[in-house]
mmCIF file of all heavy atoms in Angstrom:
data_model
loop_
_atom_site.group_PDB
_atom_site.id
_atom_site.type_symbol
_atom_site.label_atom_id
_atom_site.label_comp_id
_atom_site.label_asym_id
_atom_site.label_seq_id
_atom_site.Cartn_x
_atom_site.Cartn_y
_atom_site.Cartn_z
ATOM 1 N N GLN A 292 10.821 -21.017 5.049
ATOM 2 C CA GLN A 292 10.711 -22.356 4.525
ATOM 3 C C GLN A 292 9.627 -23.173 5.250
ATOM 4 O O GLN A 292 9.074 -24.088 4.722
ATOM 5 C CB GLN A 292 12.041 -23.094 4.571
ATOM 6 C CG GLN A 292 13.054 -22.542 3.571
ATOM 7 C CD GLN A 292 14.424 -23.126 3.756
ATOM 8 O OE1 GLN A 292 14.680 -23.962 4.626
ATOM 9 N NE2 GLN A 292 15.362 -22.662 2.964
ATOM 10 N N ALA A 293 9.374 -22.779 6.497
ATOM 11 C CA ALA A 293 8.347 -23.464 7.297
ATOM 12 C C ALA A 293 6.965 -22.849 7.113
ATOM 13 O O ALA A 293 6.019 -23.233 7.791
ATOM 14 C CB ALA A 293 8.746 -23.441 8.782
ATOM 15 N N GLY A 294 6.859 -21.847 6.225
ATOM 16 C CA GLY A 294 5.554 -21.261 5.920
ATOM 17 C C GLY A 294 5.233 -19.968 6.590
ATOM 18 O O GLY A 294 4.127 -19.454 6.460
ATOM 19 N N PHE A 295 6.176 -19.420 7.322
ATOM 20 C CA PHE A 295 5.969 -18.122 7.976
ATOM 21 C C PHE A 295 6.344 -16.999 7.041
ATOM 22 O O PHE A 295 6.989 -17.205 5.987
ATOM 23 C CB PHE A 295 6.787 -18.022 9.285
ATOM 24 C CG PHE A 295 6.283 -18.960 10.371
ATOM 25 C CD1 PHE A 295 6.748 -20.298 10.414
ATOM 26 C CD2 PHE A 295 5.366 -18.529 11.287
ATOM 27 C CE1 PHE A 295 6.298 -21.135 11.413
ATOM 28 C CE2 PHE A 295 4.896 -19.390 12.252
ATOM 29 C CZ PHE A 295 5.385 -20.705 12.324
ATOM 30 N N ASP A 296 5.976 -15.767 7.370
ATOM 31 C CA ASP A 296 6.252 -14.585 6.569
ATOM 32 C C ASP A 296 7.222 -13.707 7.369
ATOM 33 O O ASP A 296 6.790 -12.890 8.184
ATOM 34 C CB ASP A 296 4.946 -13.872 6.254
ATOM 35 C CG ASP A 296 5.112 -12.690 5.316
ATOM 36 O OD1 ASP A 296 6.228 -12.497 4.792
ATOM 37 O OD2 ASP A 296 4.112 -11.968 5.094
ATOM 38 N N VAL A 297 8.551 -13.869 7.121
ATOM 39 C CA VAL A 297 9.545 -13.263 7.961
ATOM 40 C C VAL A 297 10.499 -12.406 7.123
ATOM 41 O O VAL A 297 10.946 -12.801 6.054
ATOM 42 C CB VAL A 297 10.350 -14.321 8.715
ATOM 43 C CG1 VAL A 297 11.363 -13.681 9.650
ATOM 44 C CG2 VAL A 297 9.419 -15.241 9.534
ATOM 45 N N VAL A 298 10.793 -11.212 7.636
ATOM 46 C CA VAL A 298 11.763 -10.298 7.013
ATOM 47 C C VAL A 298 12.933 -10.099 7.982
ATOM 48 O O VAL A 298 12.680 -9.757 9.146
ATOM 49 C CB VAL A 298 11.096 -8.951 6.694
ATOM 50 C CG1 VAL A 298 12.116 -7.942 6.192
ATOM 51 C CG2 VAL A 298 9.977 -9.150 5.699
ATOM 52 N N PRO A 299 14.178 -10.301 7.551
ATOM 53 C CA PRO A 299 15.327 -10.070 8.452
ATOM 54 C C PRO A 299 15.751 -8.586 8.447
ATOM 55 O O PRO A 299 15.503 -7.867 7.477
ATOM 56 C CB PRO A 299 16.422 -10.914 7.792
ATOM 57 C CG PRO A 299 16.096 -10.905 6.320
ATOM 58 C CD PRO A 299 14.611 -10.866 6.254
ATOM 59 N N LEU A 300 16.320 -8.190 9.553
ATOM 60 C CA LEU A 300 16.745 -6.795 9.740
ATOM 61 C C LEU A 300 17.927 -6.742 10.669
ATOM 62 O O LEU A 300 17.927 -7.448 11.696
ATOM 63 C CB LEU A 300 15.565 -6.017 10.303
ATOM 64 C CG LEU A 300 15.698 -4.537 10.528
ATOM 65 C CD1 LEU A 300 15.649 -3.813 9.205
ATOM 66 C CD2 LEU A 300 14.577 -4.032 11.442
ATOM 67 N N GLU A 301 18.913 -5.957 10.341
ATOM 68 C CA GLU A 301 20.027 -5.720 11.285
ATOM 69 C C GLU A 301 19.564 -4.679 12.297
ATOM 70 O O GLU A 301 19.024 -3.639 11.909
ATOM 71 C CB GLU A 301 21.257 -5.195 10.541
ATOM 72 C CG GLU A 301 22.457 -4.993 11.442
ATOM 73 C CD GLU A 301 23.710 -4.605 10.690
ATOM 74 O OE1 GLU A 301 23.643 -4.459 9.440
ATOM 75 O OE2 GLU A 301 24.739 -4.469 11.337
ATOM 76 N N MET A 302 19.703 -4.977 13.561
ATOM 77 C CA MET A 302 19.295 -4.025 14.602
ATOM 78 C C MET A 302 20.113 -4.243 15.862
ATOM 79 O O MET A 302 20.531 -5.351 16.162
ATOM 80 C CB MET A 302 17.808 -4.067 14.865
ATOM 81 C CG MET A 302 17.244 -5.147 15.748
ATOM 82 S SD MET A 302 17.270 -4.780 17.506
ATOM 83 C CE MET A 302 16.238 -3.375 17.652
ATOM 84 N N ASP A 303 20.302 -3.154 16.572
ATOM 85 C CA ASP A 303 21.094 -3.157 17.824
ATOM 86 C C ASP A 303 20.179 -2.673 18.955
ATOM 87 O O ASP A 303 19.759 -1.514 18.953
ATOM 88 C CB ASP A 303 22.281 -2.233 17.633
ATOM 89 C CG ASP A 303 23.158 -2.119 18.882
ATOM 90 O OD1 ASP A 303 22.845 -2.744 19.906
ATOM 91 O OD2 ASP A 303 24.148 -1.385 18.818
ATOM 92 N N LEU A 304 19.887 -3.556 19.864
ATOM 93 C CA LEU A 304 18.955 -3.227 20.944
ATOM 94 C C LEU A 304 19.467 -2.106 21.868
ATOM 95 O O LEU A 304 18.677 -1.470 22.528
ATOM 96 C CB LEU A 304 18.678 -4.498 21.798
ATOM 97 C CG LEU A 304 17.565 -4.424 22.822
ATOM 98 C CD1 LEU A 304 16.231 -4.065 22.186
ATOM 99 C CD2 LEU A 304 17.482 -5.701 23.586
ATOM 100 N N SER A 305 20.758 -1.854 21.824
ATOM 101 C CA SER A 305 21.292 -0.764 22.664
ATOM 102 C C SER A 305 21.228 0.591 21.978
ATOM 103 O O SER A 305 21.618 1.594 22.532
ATOM 104 C CB SER A 305 22.745 -1.069 23.070
ATOM 105 O OG SER A 305 23.605 -1.052 21.967
ATOM 106 N N SER A 306 20.682 0.636 20.746
ATOM 107 C CA SER A 306 20.611 1.875 19.981
ATOM 108 C C SER A 306 19.156 2.309 19.788
ATOM 109 O O SER A 306 18.368 1.596 19.177
ATOM 110 C CB SER A 306 21.258 1.652 18.602
ATOM 111 O OG SER A 306 20.873 2.657 17.700
ATOM 112 N N LYS A 307 18.846 3.514 20.249
ATOM 113 C CA LYS A 307 17.509 4.057 20.090
ATOM 114 C C LYS A 307 17.134 4.169 18.607
ATOM 115 O O LYS A 307 16.026 3.860 18.203
ATOM 116 C CB LYS A 307 17.422 5.411 20.783
ATOM 117 C CG LYS A 307 16.042 6.044 20.709
ATOM 118 C CD LYS A 307 16.013 7.345 21.448
ATOM 119 C CE LYS A 307 14.654 7.985 21.399
ATOM 120 N NZ LYS A 307 14.618 9.231 22.190
ATOM 121 N N GLU A 308 18.090 4.608 17.790
ATOM 122 C CA GLU A 308 17.834 4.774 16.365
ATOM 123 C C GLU A 308 17.518 3.427 15.708
ATOM 124 O O GLU A 308 16.638 3.326 14.857
ATOM 125 C CB GLU A 308 19.044 5.408 15.643
ATOM 126 C CG GLU A 308 19.321 6.851 16.071
ATOM 127 C CD GLU A 308 19.982 7.000 17.433
ATOM 128 O OE1 GLU A 308 20.625 6.022 17.915
ATOM 129 O OE2 GLU A 308 19.838 8.080 18.039
ATOM 130 N N SER A 309 18.203 2.403 16.142
ATOM 131 C CA SER A 309 18.000 1.053 15.563
ATOM 132 C C SER A 309 16.614 0.545 15.962
ATOM 133 O O SER A 309 15.904 -0.087 15.176
ATOM 134 C CB SER A 309 19.091 0.102 16.067
ATOM 135 O OG SER A 309 19.005 -1.112 15.403
ATOM 136 N N ILE A 310 16.204 0.770 17.202
ATOM 137 C CA ILE A 310 14.871 0.357 17.659
ATOM 138 C C ILE A 310 13.811 1.098 16.848
ATOM 139 O O ILE A 310 12.827 0.522 16.381
ATOM 140 C CB ILE A 310 14.712 0.617 19.168
ATOM 141 C CG1 ILE A 310 15.667 -0.289 19.979
ATOM 142 C CG2 ILE A 310 13.256 0.389 19.603
ATOM 143 C CD1 ILE A 310 15.797 0.079 21.432
ATOM 144 N N CYS A 311 14.006 2.412 16.674
ATOM 145 C CA CYS A 311 13.035 3.210 15.904
ATOM 146 C C CYS A 311 12.959 2.691 14.454
ATOM 147 O O CYS A 311 11.870 2.631 13.889
ATOM 148 C CB CYS A 311 13.453 4.676 15.892
ATOM 149 S SG CYS A 311 13.186 5.514 17.470
ATOM 150 N N SER A 312 14.113 2.328 13.853
ATOM 151 C CA SER A 312 14.079 1.789 12.517
ATOM 152 C C SER A 312 13.336 0.484 12.419
ATOM 153 O O SER A 312 12.572 0.251 11.446
ATOM 154 C CB SER A 312 15.500 1.570 12.011
ATOM 155 O OG SER A 312 16.178 2.785 11.843
ATOM 156 N N MET A 313 13.487 -0.354 13.404
ATOM 157 C CA MET A 313 12.764 -1.632 13.403
ATOM 158 C C MET A 313 11.274 -1.406 13.542
ATOM 159 O O MET A 313 10.458 -2.035 12.841
ATOM 160 C CB MET A 313 13.254 -2.539 14.530
ATOM 161 C CG MET A 313 12.629 -3.911 14.481
ATOM 162 S SD MET A 313 13.307 -4.977 15.766
ATOM 163 C CE MET A 313 12.930 -6.581 15.068
ATOM 164 N N ILE A 314 10.854 -0.507 14.404
ATOM 165 C CA ILE A 314 9.448 -0.178 14.562
ATOM 166 C C ILE A 314 8.881 0.384 13.274
ATOM 167 O O ILE A 314 7.821 -0.019 12.810
ATOM 168 C CB ILE A 314 9.216 0.787 15.735
ATOM 169 C CG1 ILE A 314 9.501 0.089 17.063
ATOM 170 C CG2 ILE A 314 7.808 1.351 15.738
ATOM 171 C CD1 ILE A 314 9.570 0.987 18.241
ATOM 172 N N ALA A 315 9.637 1.276 12.632
ATOM 173 C CA ALA A 315 9.169 1.862 11.345
ATOM 174 C C ALA A 315 9.028 0.788 10.295
ATOM 175 O O ALA A 315 8.071 0.784 9.515
ATOM 176 C CB ALA A 315 10.164 2.941 10.904
ATOM 177 N N GLU A 316 9.979 -0.161 10.232
ATOM 178 C CA GLU A 316 9.881 -1.257 9.275
ATOM 179 C C GLU A 316 8.623 -2.089 9.543
ATOM 180 O O GLU A 316 7.895 -2.432 8.596
ATOM 181 C CB GLU A 316 11.123 -2.128 9.338
ATOM 182 C CG GLU A 316 11.151 -3.283 8.365
ATOM 183 C CD GLU A 316 11.230 -2.860 6.906
ATOM 184 O OE1 GLU A 316 11.704 -1.743 6.603
ATOM 185 O OE2 GLU A 316 10.879 -3.672 6.046
ATOM 186 N N GLY A 317 8.363 -2.399 10.782
ATOM 187 C CA GLY A 317 7.180 -3.164 11.125
ATOM 188 C C GLY A 317 5.903 -2.449 10.750
ATOM 189 O O GLY A 317 4.957 -3.055 10.245
ATOM 190 N N GLN A 318 5.839 -1.141 10.952
ATOM 191 C CA GLN A 318 4.649 -0.352 10.658
ATOM 192 C C GLN A 318 4.314 -0.316 9.185
ATOM 193 O O GLN A 318 3.175 -0.064 8.817
ATOM 194 C CB GLN A 318 4.793 1.054 11.234
ATOM 195 C CG GLN A 318 4.728 1.070 12.759
ATOM 196 C CD GLN A 318 4.948 2.451 13.324
ATOM 197 O OE1 GLN A 318 5.773 3.204 12.818
ATOM 198 N NE2 GLN A 318 4.261 2.770 14.405
ATOM 199 N N LYS A 319 5.282 -0.610 8.322
ATOM 200 C CA LYS A 319 5.013 -0.659 6.873
ATOM 201 C C LYS A 319 4.058 -1.789 6.512
ATOM 202 O O LYS A 319 3.331 -1.716 5.530
ATOM 203 C CB LYS A 319 6.318 -0.906 6.104
ATOM 204 C CG LYS A 319 7.300 0.208 6.135
ATOM 205 C CD LYS A 319 8.540 -0.210 5.352
ATOM 206 C CE LYS A 319 9.654 0.845 5.475
ATOM 207 N NZ LYS A 319 10.881 0.345 4.778
ATOM 208 N N TYR A 320 4.010 -2.851 7.336
ATOM 209 C CA TYR A 320 3.251 -4.025 7.030
ATOM 210 C C TYR A 320 1.909 -4.103 7.721
ATOM 211 O O TYR A 320 1.088 -4.936 7.403
ATOM 212 C CB TYR A 320 4.075 -5.255 7.360
ATOM 213 C CG TYR A 320 5.355 -5.340 6.594
ATOM 214 C CD1 TYR A 320 6.579 -4.973 7.166
ATOM 215 C CD2 TYR A 320 5.382 -5.753 5.251
ATOM 216 C CE1 TYR A 320 7.772 -5.026 6.428
ATOM 217 C CE2 TYR A 320 6.549 -5.797 4.518
ATOM 218 C CZ TYR A 320 7.750 -5.432 5.123
ATOM 219 O OH TYR A 320 8.900 -5.498 4.406
ATOM 220 N N GLY A 321 1.700 -3.290 8.747
ATOM 221 C CA GLY A 321 0.466 -3.303 9.486
ATOM 222 C C GLY A 321 0.666 -2.935 10.935
ATOM 223 O O GLY A 321 1.745 -2.517 11.343
ATOM 224 N N PRO A 322 -0.360 -3.119 11.766
ATOM 225 C CA PRO A 322 -0.256 -2.765 13.173
ATOM 226 C C PRO A 322 0.661 -3.741 13.934
ATOM 227 O O PRO A 322 0.552 -4.932 13.774
ATOM 228 C CB PRO A 322 -1.688 -2.861 13.687
ATOM 229 C CG PRO A 322 -2.372 -3.809 12.742
ATOM 230 C CD PRO A 322 -1.708 -3.650 11.419
ATOM 231 N N ILE A 323 1.521 -3.182 14.739
ATOM 232 C CA ILE A 323 2.450 -4.011 15.546
ATOM 233 C C ILE A 323 1.658 -4.524 16.758
ATOM 234 O O ILE A 323 1.152 -3.728 17.558
ATOM 235 C CB ILE A 323 3.675 -3.213 15.969
ATOM 236 C CG1 ILE A 323 4.448 -2.782 14.748
ATOM 237 C CG2 ILE A 323 4.545 -4.069 16.912
ATOM 238 C CD1 ILE A 323 5.587 -1.813 15.029
ATOM 239 N N LYS A 324 1.552 -5.837 16.881
ATOM 240 C CA LYS A 324 0.761 -6.433 17.942
ATOM 241 C C LYS A 324 1.638 -7.168 18.954
ATOM 242 O O LYS A 324 1.138 -7.502 20.031
ATOM 243 C CB LYS A 324 -0.236 -7.449 17.339
ATOM 244 C CG LYS A 324 -1.294 -6.798 16.487
ATOM 245 C CD LYS A 324 -2.216 -5.952 17.331
ATOM 246 C CE LYS A 324 -3.374 -5.418 16.537
ATOM 247 N NZ LYS A 324 -4.330 -4.710 17.361
ATOM 248 N N MET A 325 2.890 -7.427 18.617
ATOM 249 C CA MET A 325 3.680 -8.246 19.551
ATOM 250 C C MET A 325 5.147 -7.895 19.418
ATOM 251 O O MET A 325 5.647 -7.677 18.311
ATOM 252 C CB MET A 325 3.480 -9.714 19.258
ATOM 253 C CG MET A 325 4.193 -10.634 20.276
ATOM 254 S SD MET A 325 3.719 -12.349 20.042
ATOM 255 C CE MET A 325 2.027 -12.298 20.492
ATOM 256 N N LEU A 326 5.824 -7.822 20.552
ATOM 257 C CA LEU A 326 7.278 -7.641 20.611
ATOM 258 C C LEU A 326 7.857 -8.816 21.389
ATOM 259 O O LEU A 326 7.482 -9.064 22.517
ATOM 260 C CB LEU A 326 7.625 -6.340 21.294
ATOM 261 C CG LEU A 326 9.130 -6.149 21.639
ATOM 262 C CD1 LEU A 326 9.989 -6.099 20.382
ATOM 263 C CD2 LEU A 326 9.312 -4.853 22.454
ATOM 264 N N VAL A 327 8.766 -9.537 20.758
ATOM 265 C CA VAL A 327 9.455 -10.651 21.417
ATOM 266 C C VAL A 327 10.892 -10.238 21.576
ATOM 267 O O VAL A 327 11.619 -10.043 20.604
ATOM 268 C CB VAL A 327 9.363 -11.955 20.614
ATOM 269 C CG1 VAL A 327 10.199 -13.050 21.239
ATOM 270 C CG2 VAL A 327 7.911 -12.385 20.434
ATOM 271 N N ASN A 328 11.347 -10.054 22.806
ATOM 272 C CA ASN A 328 12.737 -9.712 23.058
ATOM 273 C C ASN A 328 13.468 -10.969 23.480
ATOM 274 O O ASN A 328 13.383 -11.369 24.637
ATOM 275 C CB ASN A 328 12.854 -8.622 24.123
ATOM 276 C CG ASN A 328 14.299 -8.297 24.392
ATOM 277 O OD1 ASN A 328 15.170 -8.595 23.588
ATOM 278 N ND2 ASN A 328 14.582 -7.714 25.572
ATOM 279 N N ALA A 329 14.207 -11.548 22.552
ATOM 280 C CA ALA A 329 14.997 -12.709 22.853
ATOM 281 C C ALA A 329 16.500 -12.371 22.734
ATOM 282 O O ALA A 329 17.340 -13.265 22.587
ATOM 283 C CB ALA A 329 14.659 -13.863 21.894
ATOM 284 N N ALA A 330 16.810 -11.093 22.797
ATOM 285 C CA ALA A 330 18.200 -10.644 22.713
ATOM 286 C C ALA A 330 18.779 -10.546 24.118
ATOM 287 O O ALA A 330 18.074 -10.252 25.072
ATOM 288 C CB ALA A 330 18.293 -9.276 22.030
ATOM 289 N N GLY A 331 20.052 -10.777 24.211
ATOM 290 C CA GLY A 331 20.730 -10.627 25.497
ATOM 291 C C GLY A 331 22.148 -11.131 25.388
ATOM 292 O O GLY A 331 22.475 -11.909 24.496
ATOM 293 N N VAL A 332 22.969 -10.621 26.254
ATOM 294 C CA VAL A 332 24.367 -11.051 26.315
ATOM 295 C C VAL A 332 24.712 -11.462 27.716
ATOM 296 O O VAL A 332 24.108 -10.990 28.688
ATOM 297 C CB VAL A 332 25.351 -9.978 25.770
ATOM 298 C CG1 VAL A 332 25.174 -9.785 24.289
ATOM 299 C CG2 VAL A 332 25.140 -8.651 26.508
ATOM 300 N N SER A 333 25.703 -12.322 27.866
ATOM 301 C CA SER A 333 26.142 -12.808 29.163
ATOM 302 C C SER A 333 27.595 -12.414 29.427
ATOM 303 O O SER A 333 28.294 -11.972 28.509
ATOM 304 C CB SER A 333 25.980 -14.334 29.214
ATOM 305 O OG SER A 333 26.971 -14.938 28.435
ATOM 306 N N PRO A 334 28.064 -12.575 30.672
ATOM 307 C CA PRO A 334 29.466 -12.229 30.966
ATOM 308 C C PRO A 334 30.475 -13.010 30.131
ATOM 309 O O PRO A 334 31.581 -12.539 29.922
ATOM 310 C CB PRO A 334 29.573 -12.597 32.458
ATOM 311 C CG PRO A 334 28.201 -12.470 32.974
ATOM 312 C CD PRO A 334 27.311 -12.943 31.863
#
């Protein structure tokens, strides 16, 4: 709505398969130039 081009995806950072799926999804659109890791959990 703010003018960006964003696609949502379910992914689990603790899963290698999930990370691979996210990378594969990104590669469909072009070269991956940036990874922002804003995931994390606390006690």
Side-chain angles (χ1 to χ4, degrees):
Q292 289 172 2
F295 292 88
D296 185 7
V297 183
V298 174
L300 183 74
E301 183 174 3
M302 80 85 62
D303 178 0
L304 190 59
S305 67
S306 163
K307 181 178 181 178
E308 293 77 22
S309 188
I310 294 167
C311 287
S312 292
M313 186 177 202
I314 291 169
E316 181 67 22
Q318 289 175 323
K319 291 178 187 177
Y320 300 101
I323 298 171
K324 294 292 187 175
M325 185 171 293
L326 170 63
V327 175
N328 178 20
V332 291
S333 71

